[in-house]
Amino acid sequence: MNTVRDVCVIGLGLIGGSVLRAAVASGRKAWGASTSTSDTEAAAADGYDVVGGDDAVAEALRRAAAADAVVVLAVPLTAVRSVLALVERHAPGCLLTDVTSVKVPVREAVRAVAPSVTFVGGHPMAGTAESGWQAAKDDLFSGAAWVTTVDDDTDLTAWREVSALAVALGARVVPLESETHDETVARVSHVGHLLAAVLASVGAAGGPVAAALAAGSFADGTRVAGTRPALVQAMTEGNRAALLSVVDEALGALGAARGSLASTGGLASTIEAGHEALRRMTDQRNAPRTSVRVRLSAPDARDALLSVGHRGGHVTGFDGDVALADVP
Amino acid sequence: MNTVRDVCVIGLGLIGGSVLRAAVASGRKAWGASTSTSDTEAAAADGYDVVGGDDAVAEALRRAAAADAVVVLAVPLTAVRSVLALVERHAPGCLLTDVTSVKVPVREAVRAVAPSVTFVGGHPMAGTAESGWQAAKDDLFSGAAWVTTVDDDTDLTAWREVSALAVALGARVVPLESETHDETVARVSHVGHLLAAVLASVGAAGGPVAAALAAGSFADGTRVAGTRPALVQAMTEGNRAALLSVVDEALGALGAARGSLASTGGLASTIEAGHEALRRMTDQRNAPRTSVRVRLSAPDARDALLSVGHRGGHVTGFDGDVALADVP
């Protein structure tokens, strides 16, 4: 088992570019390709190994197949299927991961379009409002949570390879089923983008005087509404099933506040529940942690890994076929 | 007309304490009183003129009556009526302003409880998650917007005195009707507190794994849910009428997103509207400004002042009985 595989990155925007930079910084041999000329030219100018030309993505994938590299799919969700078709054609049987913000739809796309590859989904919880190679940094993933998927059909040897890459890039790995990932990011990311958009619209409806009175709390609550709309649209629409039920929860909670305000005038339960929820999440993040070792060849390895993720733990490294984790 | 009246501050928490500090720093004679022993002791220890003893608030008000000082009511909304009764008793006919976060309910309370005073409502758009004298700063209002109310029965000479005090404390004055103030803060502050509480609750419902995956955008969107619940409850419940219709707008917008996600799967209109709204508000704040002079003795002075506020302008100083404003 080669634990320091070469890395082939398809897509050189903020996340893909940061994967290429961080992989090289970690000592791995790594190359990239993109359909964006501006990103490829900028990456090449910065001295990275970027495959150029009209056939760049196919050529980068053929190199990956020859080197048995891990292929990292770092293209927007809307481009995943077309790139998967190239992977199936030029690097059949490769080890493939991705960095997109939803996991069930990507898994389904892989099954449909690239059935020969060995796939482990991934999602680094890192990003900025910026985009493109110019925003990429080799320490973008330092200390960040990086989900790697553990589904019923996941090959744990492949999972180890992908997770070891995430650890090498500075991240802490959170093993999760694809479905749990999608529900959780709907809660902690996607619904927040919708609420920020709603708050911005309701605020702006107050006209210039609202702009004059808006202060720090409005700026905080609407900050993500400044993200490029196409990016937000792709990730929220791409997580439709999980997001829908979370939006219903938010509507229920806001509707309950409305009902209470209209009837008794009281908002204590809404406000206290939110305050307590925030405190509980902070406590969970700061809870003392215990070291856990999960032998990947053990019969219950899959459940043990998922337990690490569900309890808010992280895999922080590997010792042979043992995953080293810390768990609250 | 004495344009540098003494200042009597009732309530020495974050805002009241900052008013006392900033008033002294601006060269005014100023004193304070509070029913909070910890705040009065801390303020006295810092060398400020604080009236002590069981009868402190009444005594501070009697001094205000004797000196013809402007009285600044800086107590929580829930304590306004009881302090107004003391004002009516010990400083009848004084010039009174306040710094609480809603204006119509305070105006109605003044009319009911302290009908003899000359009242101009005020609200500095400044604050932090902290509270109490220890958090007070003499530059808290530097550059901040400070609403002063211009209602049908507002005495513009009194309005000038109160607004000149706000300018002396470093703020930029936004003249508004009490009703417009309350609707606007419902939009840019109060509904945001409810949305932050809803987001925190929906996030925490995802358990420890949600805490592990929550990143910067979740922290931004839930930050104000960390504010002391009693404070948020007082300001949101105190603005019931205005907040109710703004919450209905937010429910309508979120419901429309939900309907669109469920039917066509599209979220473009919600996301693009939010992005455009944020951009428009930023443009309004950064628009080039023109100087405007409003003579307070002119027959249309009230409308001219309100026009400054409605257009997102500020009064930045006075030249005799002329208010100097900048307007986008």
Side-chain angles (χ1 to χ4, degrees), chain A residues 187 202 211 217-218 220 222-227 237 240 248 258 261-263 265-267 275 278 285, chain B residues 187 202 211 217 220 222-227 237 240 248 258 261-263 265-267 275 278 285:
Chain A
R187 291 184 184 281
V202 166
S217 75
F218 189 80
D220 286 340
T222 56
R223 186 159 293 121
V224 296
T227 312
E237 292 180 356
R240 181 179 182 177
D248 281 341
R258 195 270 177 215
L261 185 63
S263 57
L267 288 168
H275 188 76
L278 195 61
R285 268 197 298 279
Chain B
R187 292 184 183 282
V202 166
S217 76
D220 286 340
T222 57
R223 185 160 293 120
V224 296
T227 311
E237 293 180 355
R240 182 179 182 178
D248 280 341
R258 194 270 176 214
L261 185 63
S263 57
L267 289 168
H275 188 77
L278 194 61
R285 267 196 299 279

mmCIF file of all heavy atoms in Angstrom, chain A residues 187 202 211 217-218 220 222-227 237 240 248 258 261-263 265-267 275 278 285, chain B residues 187 202 211 217 220 222-227 237 240 248 258 261-263 265-267 275 278 285:
data_model
loop_
_atom_site.group_PDB
_atom_site.id
_atom_site.type_symbol
_atom_site.label_atom_id
_atom_site.label_comp_id
_atom_site.label_asym_id
_atom_site.label_seq_id
_atom_site.Cartn_x
_atom_site.Cartn_y
_atom_site.Cartn_z
ATOM 1 N N ARG A 187 -27.725 22.158 7.684
ATOM 2 C CA ARG A 187 -27.945 22.862 8.961
ATOM 3 C C ARG A 187 -26.925 23.963 9.231
ATOM 4 O O ARG A 187 -27.294 25.034 9.702
ATOM 5 C CB ARG A 187 -27.859 21.861 10.135
ATOM 6 C CG ARG A 187 -28.990 20.889 10.190
ATOM 7 C CD ARG A 187 -28.893 19.994 11.436
ATOM 8 N NE ARG A 187 -29.950 19.004 11.385
ATOM 9 C CZ ARG A 187 -31.214 19.258 11.707
ATOM 10 N NH1 ARG A 187 -31.560 20.455 12.119
ATOM 11 N NH2 ARG A 187 -32.117 18.312 11.621
ATOM 12 N N VAL A 202 -34.892 41.901 3.454
ATOM 13 C CA VAL A 202 -35.785 42.594 4.386
ATOM 14 C C VAL A 202 -35.149 43.906 4.847
ATOM 15 O O VAL A 202 -35.830 44.921 5.008
ATOM 16 C CB VAL A 202 -36.116 41.672 5.586
ATOM 17 C CG1 VAL A 202 -36.754 42.453 6.719
ATOM 18 C CG2 VAL A 202 -37.031 40.536 5.140
ATOM 19 N N ALA A 211 -29.946 51.464 5.373
ATOM 20 C CA ALA A 211 -28.499 51.384 5.141
ATOM 21 C C ALA A 211 -27.751 52.255 6.140
ATOM 22 O O ALA A 211 -26.668 51.896 6.610
ATOM 23 C CB ALA A 211 -28.174 51.803 3.709
ATOM 24 N N SER A 217 -24.357 44.046 13.862
ATOM 25 C CA SER A 217 -25.116 42.798 13.885
ATOM 26 C C SER A 217 -25.715 42.498 12.510
ATOM 27 O O SER A 217 -25.807 41.338 12.104
ATOM 28 C CB SER A 217 -26.214 42.839 14.954
ATOM 29 O OG SER A 217 -27.299 43.641 14.555
ATOM 30 N N PHE A 218 -26.112 43.538 11.789
ATOM 31 C CA PHE A 218 -26.643 43.325 10.428
ATOM 32 C C PHE A 218 -25.517 42.869 9.491
ATOM 33 O O PHE A 218 -25.713 41.974 8.655
ATOM 34 C CB PHE A 218 -27.280 44.611 9.905
ATOM 35 C CG PHE A 218 -28.026 44.437 8.608
ATOM 36 C CD1 PHE A 218 -29.308 43.906 8.587
ATOM 37 C CD2 PHE A 218 -27.439 44.788 7.402
ATOM 38 C CE1 PHE A 218 -30.000 43.735 7.390
ATOM 39 C CE2 PHE A 218 -28.120 44.618 6.200
ATOM 40 C CZ PHE A 218 -29.406 44.095 6.202
ATOM 41 N N ASP A 220 -22.853 41.170 10.324
ATOM 42 C CA ASP A 220 -22.573 39.761 10.625
ATOM 43 C C ASP A 220 -23.620 38.850 9.987
ATOM 44 O O ASP A 220 -23.289 37.854 9.347
ATOM 45 C CB ASP A 220 -22.594 39.526 12.145
ATOM 46 C CG ASP A 220 -21.361 40.092 12.848
ATOM 47 O OD1 ASP A 220 -20.340 40.308 12.175
ATOM 48 O OD2 ASP A 220 -21.434 40.314 14.069
ATOM 49 N N THR A 222 -25.601 39.192 7.527
ATOM 50 C CA THR A 222 -25.764 39.176 6.067
ATOM 51 C C THR A 222 -24.450 38.901 5.341
ATOM 52 O O THR A 222 -24.432 38.907 4.116
ATOM 53 C CB THR A 222 -26.300 40.535 5.559
ATOM 54 O OG1 THR A 222 -25.413 41.578 5.987
ATOM 55 C CG2 THR A 222 -27.699 40.812 6.088
ATOM 56 N N ARG A 223 -23.351 38.656 6.084
ATOM 57 C CA ARG A 223 -22.037 38.583 5.433
ATOM 58 C C ARG A 223 -22.016 37.577 4.275
ATOM 59 O O ARG A 223 -21.562 37.889 3.191
ATOM 60 C CB ARG A 223 -20.934 38.260 6.444
ATOM 61 C CG ARG A 223 -19.526 38.332 5.821
ATOM 62 C CD ARG A 223 -18.450 38.520 6.875
ATOM 63 N NE ARG A 223 -18.581 39.819 7.498
ATOM 64 C CZ ARG A 223 -18.785 40.032 8.796
ATOM 65 N NH1 ARG A 223 -18.851 39.012 9.625
ATOM 66 N NH2 ARG A 223 -18.923 41.248 9.256
ATOM 67 N N VAL A 224 -22.550 36.363 4.485
ATOM 68 C CA VAL A 224 -22.456 35.359 3.426
ATOM 69 C C VAL A 224 -23.326 35.682 2.216
ATOM 70 O O VAL A 224 -23.162 35.070 1.168
ATOM 71 C CB VAL A 224 -22.752 33.924 3.910
ATOM 72 C CG1 VAL A 224 -21.706 33.478 4.918
ATOM 73 C CG2 VAL A 224 -24.148 33.785 4.445
ATOM 74 N N ALA A 225 -24.246 36.650 2.353
ATOM 75 C CA ALA A 225 -25.021 37.074 1.185
ATOM 76 C C ALA A 225 -24.121 37.781 0.168
ATOM 77 O O ALA A 225 -24.531 38.006 -0.971
ATOM 78 C CB ALA A 225 -26.177 37.989 1.601
ATOM 79 N N GLY A 226 -22.902 38.114 0.573
ATOM 80 C CA GLY A 226 -21.941 38.701 -0.352
ATOM 81 C C GLY A 226 -21.226 37.682 -1.228
ATOM 82 O O GLY A 226 -20.528 38.040 -2.173
ATOM 83 N N THR A 227 -21.414 36.387 -0.939
ATOM 84 C CA THR A 227 -20.789 35.328 -1.742
ATOM 85 C C THR A 227 -21.354 35.341 -3.162
ATOM 86 O O THR A 227 -22.507 35.696 -3.364
ATOM 87 C CB THR A 227 -21.062 33.952 -1.097
ATOM 88 O OG1 THR A 227 -20.780 34.018 0.287
ATOM 89 C CG2 THR A 227 -20.218 32.863 -1.740
ATOM 90 N N GLU A 237 -28.934 24.380 -4.210
ATOM 91 C CA GLU A 237 -29.810 23.595 -5.096
ATOM 92 C C GLU A 237 -29.314 22.154 -5.196
ATOM 93 O O GLU A 237 -30.107 21.223 -5.332
ATOM 94 C CB GLU A 237 -29.880 24.237 -6.482
ATOM 95 C CG GLU A 237 -30.598 25.586 -6.485
ATOM 96 C CD GLU A 237 -30.662 26.215 -7.876
ATOM 97 O OE1 GLU A 237 -30.076 25.645 -8.827
ATOM 98 O OE2 GLU A 237 -31.293 27.287 -8.006
ATOM 99 N N ARG A 240 -30.752 19.715 -2.443
ATOM 100 C CA ARG A 240 -32.194 19.974 -2.351
ATOM 101 C C ARG A 240 -32.921 19.139 -1.302
ATOM 102 O O ARG A 240 -33.661 19.674 -0.481
ATOM 103 C CB ARG A 240 -32.797 19.702 -3.737
ATOM 104 C CG ARG A 240 -34.271 19.945 -3.855
ATOM 105 C CD ARG A 240 -34.681 19.637 -5.290
ATOM 106 N NE ARG A 240 -36.090 19.886 -5.534
ATOM 107 C CZ ARG A 240 -36.656 19.744 -6.724
ATOM 108 N NH1 ARG A 240 -35.913 19.390 -7.773
ATOM 109 N NH2 ARG A 240 -37.940 19.969 -6.878
ATOM 110 N N ASP A 248 -37.688 23.661 6.339
ATOM 111 C CA ASP A 248 -38.973 23.499 7.036
ATOM 112 C C ASP A 248 -38.813 23.679 8.544
ATOM 113 O O ASP A 248 -39.679 24.267 9.200
ATOM 114 C CB ASP A 248 -39.587 22.135 6.710
ATOM 115 C CG ASP A 248 -40.257 22.144 5.347
ATOM 116 O OD1 ASP A 248 -40.564 23.248 4.842
ATOM 117 O OD2 ASP A 248 -40.459 21.056 4.777
ATOM 118 N N ARG A 258 -43.246 34.043 15.457
ATOM 119 C CA ARG A 258 -44.253 34.970 14.946
ATOM 120 C C ARG A 258 -45.575 34.799 15.692
ATOM 121 O O ARG A 258 -46.207 35.773 16.098
ATOM 122 C CB ARG A 258 -44.444 34.700 13.451
ATOM 123 C CG ARG A 258 -45.169 35.778 12.684
ATOM 124 C CD ARG A 258 -46.665 35.580 12.655
ATOM 125 N NE ARG A 258 -47.305 36.692 11.967
ATOM 126 C CZ ARG A 258 -48.487 37.190 12.291
ATOM 127 N NH1 ARG A 258 -49.192 36.677 13.287
ATOM 128 N NH2 ARG A 258 -48.988 38.198 11.621
ATOM 129 N N LEU A 261 -45.218 36.112 19.229
ATOM 130 C CA LEU A 261 -45.168 37.580 19.246
ATOM 131 C C LEU A 261 -46.565 38.164 19.022
ATOM 132 O O LEU A 261 -46.968 39.130 19.672
ATOM 133 C CB LEU A 261 -44.201 38.070 18.161
ATOM 134 C CG LEU A 261 -43.914 39.570 18.101
ATOM 135 C CD1 LEU A 261 -43.239 40.048 19.372
ATOM 136 C CD2 LEU A 261 -43.030 39.910 16.884
ATOM 137 N N ALA A 262 -47.318 37.544 18.102
ATOM 138 C CA ALA A 262 -48.656 38.065 17.792
ATOM 139 C C ALA A 262 -49.653 37.809 18.913
ATOM 140 O O ALA A 262 -50.517 38.636 19.180
ATOM 141 C CB ALA A 262 -49.163 37.443 16.492
ATOM 142 N N SER A 263 -49.522 36.670 19.594
ATOM 143 C CA SER A 263 -50.520 36.330 20.602
ATOM 144 C C SER A 263 -50.160 36.897 21.972
ATOM 145 O O SER A 263 -50.800 37.827 22.457
ATOM 146 C CB SER A 263 -50.708 34.811 20.669
ATOM 147 O OG SER A 263 -49.478 34.170 20.942
ATOM 148 N N GLY A 265 -47.088 38.181 22.754
ATOM 149 C CA GLY A 265 -46.040 39.192 22.691
ATOM 150 C C GLY A 265 -44.695 38.689 23.194
ATOM 151 O O GLY A 265 -43.737 39.449 23.255
ATOM 152 N N GLY A 266 -44.624 37.395 23.549
ATOM 153 C CA GLY A 266 -43.404 36.862 24.164
ATOM 154 C C GLY A 266 -42.468 36.203 23.168
ATOM 155 O O GLY A 266 -42.903 35.475 22.283
ATOM 156 N N LEU A 267 -41.167 36.473 23.288
ATOM 157 C CA LEU A 267 -40.179 35.860 22.417
ATOM 158 C C LEU A 267 -39.120 35.107 23.212
ATOM 159 O O LEU A 267 -38.115 34.658 22.668
ATOM 160 C CB LEU A 267 -39.509 36.929 21.548
ATOM 161 C CG LEU A 267 -40.408 37.497 20.444
ATOM 162 C CD1 LEU A 267 -39.780 38.743 19.827
ATOM 163 C CD2 LEU A 267 -40.672 36.439 19.377
ATOM 164 N N HIS A 275 -29.871 31.024 22.165
ATOM 165 C CA HIS A 275 -28.704 31.304 23.005
ATOM 166 C C HIS A 275 -28.127 30.008 23.581
ATOM 167 O O HIS A 275 -26.922 29.761 23.541
ATOM 168 C CB HIS A 275 -29.129 32.244 24.137
ATOM 169 C CG HIS A 275 -28.011 32.761 24.971
ATOM 170 N ND1 HIS A 275 -27.155 33.750 24.546
ATOM 171 C CD2 HIS A 275 -27.580 32.427 26.217
ATOM 172 C CE1 HIS A 275 -26.259 34.008 25.487
ATOM 173 N NE2 HIS A 275 -26.502 33.212 26.508
ATOM 174 N N LEU A 278 -26.399 27.841 20.877
ATOM 175 C CA LEU A 278 -25.064 28.324 20.549
ATOM 176 C C LEU A 278 -24.064 27.932 21.634
ATOM 177 O O LEU A 278 -22.941 27.499 21.365
ATOM 178 C CB LEU A 278 -25.110 29.853 20.394
ATOM 179 C CG LEU A 278 -23.921 30.521 19.727
ATOM 180 C CD1 LEU A 278 -23.731 30.017 18.307
ATOM 181 C CD2 LEU A 278 -24.118 32.045 19.714
ATOM 182 N N ARG A 285 -17.604 21.787 21.026
ATOM 183 C CA ARG A 285 -16.313 21.968 20.338
ATOM 184 C C ARG A 285 -15.155 22.016 21.327
ATOM 185 O O ARG A 285 -14.055 21.589 21.006
ATOM 186 C CB ARG A 285 -16.331 23.253 19.507
ATOM 187 C CG ARG A 285 -16.771 23.061 18.075
ATOM 188 C CD ARG A 285 -16.388 24.252 17.217
ATOM 189 N NE ARG A 285 -17.038 25.459 17.674
ATOM 190 C CZ ARG A 285 -18.288 25.800 17.384
ATOM 191 N NH1 ARG A 285 -19.033 25.021 16.632
ATOM 192 N NH2 ARG A 285 -18.809 26.922 17.831
ATOM 193 N N ARG B 187 -36.062 46.017 10.971
ATOM 194 C CA ARG B 187 -35.444 45.449 9.759
ATOM 195 C C ARG B 187 -33.954 45.151 9.924
ATOM 196 O O ARG B 187 -33.473 44.114 9.475
ATOM 197 C CB ARG B 187 -35.586 46.420 8.576
ATOM 198 C CG ARG B 187 -37.002 46.590 8.092
ATOM 199 C CD ARG B 187 -37.056 47.494 6.855
ATOM 200 N NE ARG B 187 -38.440 47.686 6.479
ATOM 201 C CZ ARG B 187 -39.172 46.777 5.824
ATOM 202 N NH1 ARG B 187 -38.626 45.640 5.440
ATOM 203 N NH2 ARG B 187 -40.433 47.029 5.533
ATOM 204 N N VAL B 202 -31.463 25.429 14.737
ATOM 205 C CA VAL B 202 -31.461 24.443 13.650
ATOM 206 C C VAL B 202 -30.076 23.794 13.537
ATOM 207 O O VAL B 202 -29.956 22.591 13.273
ATOM 208 C CB VAL B 202 -31.876 25.122 12.319
ATOM 209 C CG1 VAL B 202 -31.568 24.242 11.131
ATOM 210 C CG2 VAL B 202 -33.364 25.472 12.352
ATOM 211 N N ALA B 211 -21.653 20.685 15.405
ATOM 212 C CA ALA B 211 -20.676 21.553 16.068
ATOM 213 C C ALA B 211 -19.296 21.368 15.424
ATOM 214 O O ALA B 211 -18.535 22.334 15.275
ATOM 215 C CB ALA B 211 -20.616 21.255 17.561
ATOM 216 N N SER B 217 -19.054 30.775 8.323
ATOM 217 C CA SER B 217 -20.345 31.358 7.944
ATOM 218 C C SER B 217 -21.390 31.116 9.025
ATOM 219 O O SER B 217 -22.254 31.954 9.281
ATOM 220 C CB SER B 217 -20.819 30.805 6.595
ATOM 221 O OG SER B 217 -21.317 29.488 6.721
ATOM 222 N N ASP B 220 -20.653 33.615 11.850
ATOM 223 C CA ASP B 220 -21.154 34.952 11.500
ATOM 224 C C ASP B 220 -22.668 35.032 11.696
ATOM 225 O O ASP B 220 -23.184 35.959 12.307
ATOM 226 C CB ASP B 220 -20.845 35.277 10.035
ATOM 227 C CG ASP B 220 -19.374 35.605 9.809
ATOM 228 O OD1 ASP B 220 -18.683 35.947 10.788
ATOM 229 O OD2 ASP B 220 -18.932 35.514 8.654
ATOM 230 N N THR B 222 -24.736 33.368 13.452
ATOM 231 C CA THR B 222 -25.307 33.132 14.786
ATOM 232 C C THR B 222 -24.688 34.037 15.847
ATOM 233 O O THR B 222 -25.031 33.920 17.020
ATOM 234 C CB THR B 222 -25.084 31.669 15.237
ATOM 235 O OG1 THR B 222 -23.682 31.379 15.206
ATOM 236 C CG2 THR B 222 -25.828 30.699 14.346
ATOM 237 N N ARG B 223 -23.774 34.939 15.452
ATOM 238 C CA ARG B 223 -23.023 35.697 16.466
ATOM 239 C C ARG B 223 -23.936 36.408 17.465
ATOM 240 O O ARG B 223 -23.733 36.325 18.670
ATOM 241 C CB ARG B 223 -22.058 36.692 15.801
ATOM 242 C CG ARG B 223 -21.170 37.402 16.832
ATOM 243 C CD ARG B 223 -19.920 37.985 16.200
ATOM 244 N NE ARG B 223 -19.060 36.910 15.723
ATOM 245 C CZ ARG B 223 -18.695 36.756 14.448
ATOM 246 N NH1 ARG B 223 -19.084 37.612 13.531
ATOM 247 N NH2 ARG B 223 -17.932 35.741 14.099
ATOM 248 N N VAL B 224 -24.980 37.105 16.982
ATOM 249 C CA VAL B 224 -25.804 37.874 17.926
ATOM 250 C C VAL B 224 -26.656 36.988 18.827
ATOM 251 O O VAL B 224 -27.199 37.476 19.815
ATOM 252 C CB VAL B 224 -26.704 38.926 17.230
ATOM 253 C CG1 VAL B 224 -25.861 39.983 16.547
ATOM 254 C CG2 VAL B 224 -27.689 38.293 16.296
ATOM 255 N N ALA B 225 -26.759 35.691 18.505
ATOM 256 C CA ALA B 225 -27.458 34.788 19.428
ATOM 257 C C ALA B 225 -26.670 34.631 20.724
ATOM 258 O O ALA B 225 -27.197 34.108 21.711
ATOM 259 C CB ALA B 225 -27.690 33.416 18.779
ATOM 260 N N GLY B 226 -25.437 35.103 20.755
ATOM 261 C CA GLY B 226 -24.647 35.078 21.980
ATOM 262 C C GLY B 226 -24.950 36.233 22.931
ATOM 263 O O GLY B 226 -24.493 36.239 24.066
ATOM 264 N N THR B 227 -25.743 37.203 22.477
ATOM 265 C CA THR B 227 -26.115 38.343 23.327
ATOM 266 C C THR B 227 -26.970 37.855 24.504
ATOM 267 O O THR B 227 -27.710 36.888 24.372
ATOM 268 C CB THR B 227 -26.921 39.366 22.501
ATOM 269 O OG1 THR B 227 -26.238 39.619 21.288
ATOM 270 C CG2 THR B 227 -27.097 40.675 23.260
ATOM 271 N N GLU B 237 -39.358 42.323 22.080
ATOM 272 C CA GLU B 237 -40.750 42.373 22.571
ATOM 273 C C GLU B 237 -41.233 43.819 22.675
ATOM 274 O O GLU B 237 -42.413 44.099 22.460
ATOM 275 C CB GLU B 237 -40.860 41.672 23.926
ATOM 276 C CG GLU B 237 -40.618 40.170 23.842
ATOM 277 C CD GLU B 237 -40.734 39.476 25.205
ATOM 278 O OE1 GLU B 237 -40.906 40.182 26.222
ATOM 279 O OE2 GLU B 237 -40.647 38.235 25.230
ATOM 280 N N ARG B 240 -42.866 45.218 19.373
ATOM 281 C CA ARG B 240 -43.793 44.202 18.877
ATOM 282 C C ARG B 240 -44.494 44.575 17.570
ATOM 283 O O ARG B 240 -44.502 43.803 16.613
ATOM 284 C CB ARG B 240 -44.821 43.952 19.970
ATOM 285 C CG ARG B 240 -45.839 42.893 19.659
ATOM 286 C CD ARG B 240 -46.759 42.753 20.874
ATOM 287 N NE ARG B 240 -47.753 41.712 20.700
ATOM 288 C CZ ARG B 240 -48.641 41.392 21.639
ATOM 289 N NH1 ARG B 240 -48.630 42.030 22.811
ATOM 290 N NH2 ARG B 240 -49.530 40.441 21.430
ATOM 291 N N ASP B 248 -43.179 38.927 9.328
ATOM 292 C CA ASP B 248 -44.036 38.394 8.270
ATOM 293 C C ASP B 248 -43.349 38.490 6.900
ATOM 294 O O ASP B 248 -43.465 37.576 6.079
ATOM 295 C CB ASP B 248 -45.382 39.123 8.254
ATOM 296 C CG ASP B 248 -46.318 38.594 9.341
ATOM 297 O OD1 ASP B 248 -46.080 37.469 9.835
ATOM 298 O OD2 ASP B 248 -47.277 39.301 9.705
ATOM 299 N N ARG B 258 -38.668 28.201 0.038
ATOM 300 C CA ARG B 258 -39.046 26.817 0.310
ATOM 301 C C ARG B 258 -39.929 26.269 -0.825
ATOM 302 O O ARG B 258 -39.729 25.160 -1.299
ATOM 303 C CB ARG B 258 -39.803 26.767 1.637
ATOM 304 C CG ARG B 258 -39.992 25.420 2.250
ATOM 305 C CD ARG B 258 -41.255 24.733 1.829
ATOM 306 N NE ARG B 258 -41.292 23.388 2.397
ATOM 307 C CZ ARG B 258 -41.835 22.342 1.771
ATOM 308 N NH1 ARG B 258 -42.390 22.468 0.588
ATOM 309 N NH2 ARG B 258 -41.821 21.161 2.328
ATOM 310 N N LEU B 261 -37.825 25.755 -3.937
ATOM 311 C CA LEU B 261 -36.936 24.588 -3.791
ATOM 312 C C LEU B 261 -37.725 23.297 -3.946
ATOM 313 O O LEU B 261 -37.271 22.337 -4.582
ATOM 314 C CB LEU B 261 -36.255 24.645 -2.422
ATOM 315 C CG LEU B 261 -35.192 23.587 -2.115
ATOM 316 C CD1 LEU B 261 -34.009 23.706 -3.061
ATOM 317 C CD2 LEU B 261 -34.714 23.690 -0.662
ATOM 318 N N ALA B 262 -38.938 23.274 -3.376
ATOM 319 C CA ALA B 262 -39.746 22.059 -3.429
ATOM 320 C C ALA B 262 -40.303 21.800 -4.823
ATOM 321 O O ALA B 262 -40.405 20.661 -5.252
ATOM 322 C CB ALA B 262 -40.893 22.151 -2.416
ATOM 323 N N SER B 263 -40.648 22.873 -5.545
ATOM 324 C CA SER B 263 -41.308 22.675 -6.843
ATOM 325 C C SER B 263 -40.294 22.548 -7.979
ATOM 326 O O SER B 263 -40.100 21.472 -8.528
ATOM 327 C CB SER B 263 -42.297 23.807 -7.104
ATOM 328 O OG SER B 263 -41.637 25.056 -7.057
ATOM 329 N N GLY B 265 -36.972 23.369 -7.637
ATOM 330 C CA GLY B 265 -35.610 23.142 -7.155
ATOM 331 C C GLY B 265 -34.723 24.363 -7.273
ATOM 332 O O GLY B 265 -33.537 24.304 -6.969
ATOM 333 N N GLY B 266 -35.316 25.496 -7.732
ATOM 334 C CA GLY B 266 -34.496 26.680 -7.984
ATOM 335 C C GLY B 266 -34.477 27.655 -6.825
ATOM 336 O O GLY B 266 -35.504 27.913 -6.203
ATOM 337 N N LEU B 267 -33.295 28.189 -6.511
ATOM 338 C CA LEU B 267 -33.167 29.180 -5.439
ATOM 339 C C LEU B 267 -32.554 30.481 -5.941
ATOM 340 O O LEU B 267 -32.208 31.363 -5.159
ATOM 341 C CB LEU B 267 -32.319 28.610 -4.290
ATOM 342 C CG LEU B 267 -33.009 27.523 -3.473
ATOM 343 C CD1 LEU B 267 -32.020 26.820 -2.556
ATOM 344 C CD2 LEU B 267 -34.157 28.133 -2.656
ATOM 345 N N HIS B 275 -28.195 39.007 -2.531
ATOM 346 C CA HIS B 275 -26.888 39.537 -2.943
ATOM 347 C C HIS B 275 -27.016 40.970 -3.443
ATOM 348 O O HIS B 275 -26.243 41.856 -3.070
ATOM 349 C CB HIS B 275 -26.326 38.628 -4.038
ATOM 350 C CG HIS B 275 -24.915 38.943 -4.431
ATOM 351 N ND1 HIS B 275 -23.834 38.588 -3.676
ATOM 352 C CD2 HIS B 275 -24.417 39.589 -5.507
ATOM 353 C CE1 HIS B 275 -22.722 38.997 -4.261
ATOM 354 N NE2 HIS B 275 -23.050 39.610 -5.376
ATOM 355 N N LEU B 278 -27.774 43.464 -0.576
ATOM 356 C CA LEU B 278 -26.579 43.804 0.201
ATOM 357 C C LEU B 278 -25.716 44.805 -0.569
ATOM 358 O O LEU B 278 -25.191 45.768 0.001
ATOM 359 C CB LEU B 278 -25.800 42.521 0.487
ATOM 360 C CG LEU B 278 -24.712 42.593 1.544
ATOM 361 C CD1 LEU B 278 -25.304 42.982 2.896
ATOM 362 C CD2 LEU B 278 -24.002 41.239 1.649
ATOM 363 N N ARG B 285 -24.545 53.441 1.391
ATOM 364 C CA ARG B 285 -23.681 53.971 2.447
ATOM 365 C C ARG B 285 -22.468 54.706 1.881
ATOM 366 O O ARG B 285 -21.973 55.653 2.478
ATOM 367 C CB ARG B 285 -23.199 52.835 3.366
ATOM 368 C CG ARG B 285 -24.078 52.624 4.566
ATOM 369 C CD ARG B 285 -23.374 51.792 5.609
ATOM 370 N NE ARG B 285 -23.043 50.476 5.108
ATOM 371 C CZ ARG B 285 -23.890 49.468 5.039
ATOM 372 N NH1 ARG B 285 -25.115 49.612 5.456
ATOM 373 N NH2 ARG B 285 -23.518 48.297 4.567
#
